[in-house]
Amino acid sequence: MTSQVSSPAEQADGAVVGEQRTAAGAKGVRRLDRVIIRFAGDSGDGMQLTGDRFTSETASFGNDLSTLPNFPAEIRAPAGTLPGVSSFQLHFADHDILTPGDAPNVLVAMNPAALKANIGDLPRGAEIIVNTDEFTKRAMQKVGYDSSPLEDGSLDGYSLHPVPLTTLTVEALKEFDLTRKEAERSKNMFALGLLSWMYHRPTEGTEKFLRSKFAGKPDIAAANIAAYRAGWNFGETTEDFAVSYEVAPAAKAFPPGVYRNISGNLALSYGLIAASRQADLPLYLGSYPITPASDILHELSRHKNFGVRTFQAEDEIAGIGAALGAAFGGSLAVTTTSGPGVALKSETIGLAVSLELPLLVVDIQRGGPSTGLPTKTEQADLLQAMYGRNGEAPVPVVAPRTPADCFDAALEAARIALTYRTPVFLLSDGYLANGSEPWRIPDLQELPDLTVQFAQGPNHALDDGTEVFWPYKRDPQTLARPWAVPGTPGLEHRIGGIEKQDGTGNISYDPANHDFMVRTRQAKIDGIDVPDVEVDDPDGAKALVLGWGSTYGPITAAVRRIRKEGGRIAQAHLRHLNPFPHNLGAVLERYDKVVVPEMNLGQLATLIRAKYLIDARSYNQVNGMPFKAEQLATALKEAIDD
């Protein structure tokens, strides 16, 4: 869905803007500036679908939004258990926001496990909607409840709404020829209808979606729509919900344009397609499915009409081998993976460094080491991207900062790979990949020109005047070697991982030549043209917070809170991690204190200390979840005052 908005206003977090009644005796409508909702239940309860549909309608309404899906690694985790809880958090507002929110205002808990797993995140006074049908003695004992939390007073500090969602859904669908079990599956649509009524969300899009999703099963489509409408009507008629809420569109939060809601993996996929079109090259993806990168393979496989070829290989090594072969053949080549797959691909990445061919290595980071936490986020692959190969094998590293920014980061990674003939790491992570936000659809005129010139003939004259092709004769500005497509007459040349002679590309074991080639490859990466890092410092602060990747949202939200309270702090965020922006050293030297928050144990901080001899202070978290803005603001204030 797309929405058109016109130009940043920011209001007090969570403020109640106003309240009104539509008519005598009618339900009140309370206006809010922002809301954080979390849907939670078993992994089979459809919480991700429910959250996604609520998000789509919120995007079409014109709110700014940010989402945080959180689900088990198992395809079907044990029902009713704490490890099996799946949740979807959505933060939407009438102004510019940056994170999915620290604490939900509303929790929809489909069973006791969902309540127990999430109650600790709720502030006092939050609304809790529980499916009372699931609060059986056995279900409660399974998660450690000795007594019913709905009756023992433990939820007295919250606004509790007990709703028999399952019973109401089954009753609403009794006219359909469904078994009770089949009818119960629609309880998530009943909950979605209720929440859609509570927050005045549009309904047409969801009903259209259900008709499309179940086009081959019209009875199931009709049943889901009926459950959705029943949830809406329940909210409208029940006395338990005396007030509904309005969150106005964020009309002043964005520059004019056409917007749509987009996830990081989808934005990255579109960015790769756009890069191939701007380069006038076919796009080739060699990949092996791995969470949380698989969605890119799924999405790109749908776009053969744009000249996209996707190859689902038998393993990670075959995937990158095929991609590197496609690069040799003249394609914009990509391989996608997560941290464990990068380890397997490392030898071929080193080969790409030696061959000096463009190749995009997309790493959607997740918790490690080894298999680690497949569905949880982390930023712990930075040092692997920098150094995880044998020998001196430098590779540029680019990192997007928001889900929508994944589109631009893909274009930037492609620019570097094509211009400098090098593999490039694109470091996203699970938080960006699965999260979503509004994205302004760019005009074609805004996209960069990425066209490249393949070698067409001889490029070097020997002493006797003979014209020959030297595959390692370099562009004096970029140090890139020519890209010779196989089959071009006269451009035959050797490839392989053994060291090449400068210029000729012949195999060479000469020590001096090896020293020269190693230093030349490093100089090529060091000389990549990247923009200067921008510093946000309106008050002449003495402390700087430096981030990279997906920490941008929480850091920026924390900085806003500190400044709102009168604190002075500067902020800078890195997209290019190798090479660093040329002005970064000068920027760091301007500040007495530099704090680097990361979802690892201090990898960027280690690089900063080593390169610039700056006493960069780390603030680290590796719990599989993104930073919370309040937590980060507290840590940054302590660093400022220290």
Side-chain angles (χ1 to χ4, degrees):
M1 291 185 178
T2 60
S3 60
Q4 204 150 7
V5 303
S6 44
S7 129
E10 189 169 353
Q11 303 178 30
D13 286 347
V16 176
V17 180
E19 186 170 351
Q20 62 185 18
R21 289 192 174 272
T22 56
K27 293 189 176 186
V29 178
R30 184 174 299 170
R31 294 173 54 210
L32 303 174
D33 72 339
R34 70 180 184 98
V35 174
I36 303 168
I37 298 175
R38 183 181 296 177
F39 299 92
D42 277 335
S43 57
D45 282 340
M47 294 297 94
Q48 302 304 318
L49 175 62
T50 305
D52 185 66
R53 287 314 313 160
F54 195 95
T55 299
S56 294
E57 298 299 350
T58 297
S60 68
F61 187 72
N63 295 119
D64 193 11
L65 61 88
S66 180
T67 67
L68 177 61
N70 187 14
F71 43 87
E74 291 82 3
I75 294 174
R76 189 67 167 90
T81 64
L82 294 175
V85 173
S86 174
S87 68
F88 189 104
Q89 184 164 306
L90 166 67
H91 183 190
F92 62 101
D94 66 1
H95 57 277
D96 176 30
I97 58 174
L98 299 154
T99 74
D102 289 357
N105 307 115
V106 182
L107 171 67
V108 180
M110 303 298 281
N111 59 22
L115 177 64
K116 187 156 192 176
N118 292 282
I119 190 66
D121 292 337
L122 268 62
R124 290 290 174 175
E127 293 193 79
I128 304 175
I129 301 171
V130 295
N131 180 14
T132 56
D133 289 325
E134 295 296 322
F135 278 73
T136 63
K137 185 176 181 179
R138 181 182 178 186
M140 289 186 288
Q141 288 177 341
K142 187 182 288 189
V143 295
Y145 280 129
D146 296 326
S147 60
S148 173
L150 309 184
E151 300 171 356
D152 63 9
S154 59
L155 301 179
D156 286 351
Y158 306 94
S159 178
L160 180 64
H161 301 281
V163 180
L165 288 172
T166 306
T167 299
L168 291 171
T169 302
V170 172
E171 179 65 21
L173 301 184
K174 62 183 181 181
E175 64 184 77
F176 293 88
D177 186 21
L178 300 173
T179 65
R180 180 178 177 86
K181 187 175 182 179
E182 290 172 334
E184 287 178 358
R185 290 177 183 160
S186 296
K187 63 181 180 290
N188 64 323
M189 288 297 106
F190 189 100
L192 178 59
L194 173 57
L195 269 292
S196 297
W197 171 83
M198 283 181 65
Y199 291 97
H200 296 238
R201 299 297 91 184
T203 61
E204 296 81 4
T206 293
E207 294 192 7
K208 181 179 179 182
F209 166 82
L210 291 171
R211 291 190 186 96
S212 174
K213 180 177 176 62
F214 299 106
K217 300 178 180 179
D219 290 345
I220 299 297
N224 276 279
I225 292 171
Y228 177 65
R229 291 175 177 174
W232 177 284
N233 293 333
F234 177 78
E236 180 71 31
T237 57
T238 184
E239 295 182 1
D240 193 36
F241 295 92
V243 176
S244 62
Y245 303 91
E246 284 186 350
V247 180
K252 298 180 181 179
F254 310 110
V258 178
Y259 287 77
R260 60 157 292 166
N261 184 53
I262 200 165
S263 69
N265 273 351
L266 183 57
L268 200 153
S269 301
Y270 288 174
L272 294 173
I273 295 171
S276 75
R277 304 303 290 177
Q278 293 302 105
D280 196 23
L281 297 175
L283 178 64
Y284 183 93
L285 174 67
S287 182
Y288 179 76
I290 183 171
T291 302
S294 300
D295 287 343
I296 301 171
L297 171 61
H298 301 159
E299 182 61 33
L300 289 181
S301 68
R302 300 186 178 106
H303 296 287
K304 298 180 180 66
N305 56 312
F306 287 117
V308 179
R309 293 183 177 90
T310 53
F311 169 52
Q312 181 175 322
E314 64 268 30
D315 56 41
E316 296 281 4
I317 298 171
I320 190 172
L324 185 57
F328 179 60
S331 293
L332 176 59
V334 185
T335 189
T336 54
T337 189
S338 189
V342 172
L344 292 165
K345 295 177 188 291
S346 61
E347 183 178 8
T348 307
I349 297 171
L351 176 59
V353 172
S354 176
L355 297 181
E356 300 191 44
L357 287 171
L359 174 68
L360 301 185
V361 181
V362 178
D363 177 6
I364 313 297
Q365 301 166 94
R366 72 190 203 191
S370 188
T371 307
L373 303 173
T375 60
K376 310 300 179 184
T377 195
E378 210 164 85
Q379 286 183 296
D381 294 349
L382 176 56
L383 293 183
Q384 180 178 220
M386 289 285 292
Y387 303 119
R389 294 162 295 284
N390 63 296
E392 296 288 344
V395 173
V397 180
V398 176
R401 63 185 188 180
T402 69
D405 188 48
C406 289
F407 178 86
D408 295 317
L411 284 163
E412 175 64 359
R415 177 191 72 86
I416 294 173
L418 295 171
T419 302
Y420 296 90
R421 311 284 198 267
T422 177
V424 177
F425 262 98
L426 181 56
L427 287 184
S428 180
D429 60 43
Y431 171 39
L432 295 183
N434 296 316
S436 64
E437 66 175 353
W439 172 58
R440 188 181 70 84
I441 301 172
D443 294 328
L444 289 178
Q445 294 78 7
E446 300 174 26
L447 301 180
D449 181 1
L450 301 179
T451 53
V452 295
Q453 293 295 325
F454 293 117
Q456 298 297 323
N459 62 356
H460 183 76
L462 300 178
D463 292 341
D464 62 2
T466 304
E467 291 189 339
V468 296
F469 174 66
W470 276 14
Y472 281 82
K473 184 170 184 176
R474 301 180 183 277
D475 181 288
Q477 298 298 319
T478 65
L479 299 182
R481 79 173 185 92
W483 193 358
V485 176
T488 306
L491 302 190
E492 298 85 355
H493 61 282
R494 293 181 178 86
I495 62 168
I498 298 178
E499 184 64 278
K500 311 296 188 302
Q501 185 180 53
D502 176 45
T504 68
N506 295 330
I507 291 174
S508 173
Y509 298 104
D510 177 59
N513 177 78
H514 177 61
D515 182 274
F516 178 82
M517 293 294 279
V518 167
R519 294 180 186 276
T520 300
R521 287 189 290 262
Q522 184 65 58
K524 181 174 71 168
I525 304 306
D526 292 342
I528 290 173
D529 181 24
V530 303
D532 284 348
V533 63
E534 297 181 357
V535 183
D536 176 18
D537 184 4
D539 303 312
K542 295 183 178 181
L544 171 73
V545 55
L546 179 68
W548 71 278
S550 66
T551 57
Y552 173 77
I555 288 174
T556 306
V559 166
R560 287 181 180 180
R561 294 187 185 203
I562 292 171
R563 291 175 180 171
K564 189 175 180 180
E565 296 171 3
R568 294 194 299 174
I569 188 168
Q571 178 186 1
H573 206 79
L574 295 175
R575 164 174 281 181
H576 297 90
L577 297 153
N578 192 32
F580 286 130
H582 299 300
N583 70 329
L584 181 57
V587 166
L588 297 173
E589 290 175 359
R590 297 207 304 258
Y591 295 93
D592 297 339
K593 299 174 183 176
V594 176
V595 184
V596 185
E598 298 180 79
M599 292 187 293
N600 56 48
L601 295 184
Q603 297 189 15
L604 175 60
T606 297
L607 296 174
I608 294 295
R609 293 189 192 106
K611 184 172 180 65
Y612 299 107
L613 303 181
I614 295 293
D615 183 22
R617 305 185 184 190
S618 289
Y619 182 73
N620 308 116
Q621 173 177 296
V622 282
N623 62 5
M625 298 295 289
F627 284 113
K628 293 183 177 180
E630 184 61 34
Q631 156 204 4
L632 203 49
T634 300
L636 293 177
K637 283 186 285 188
E638 291 174 355
I640 294 172
D641 298 336
D642 184 11

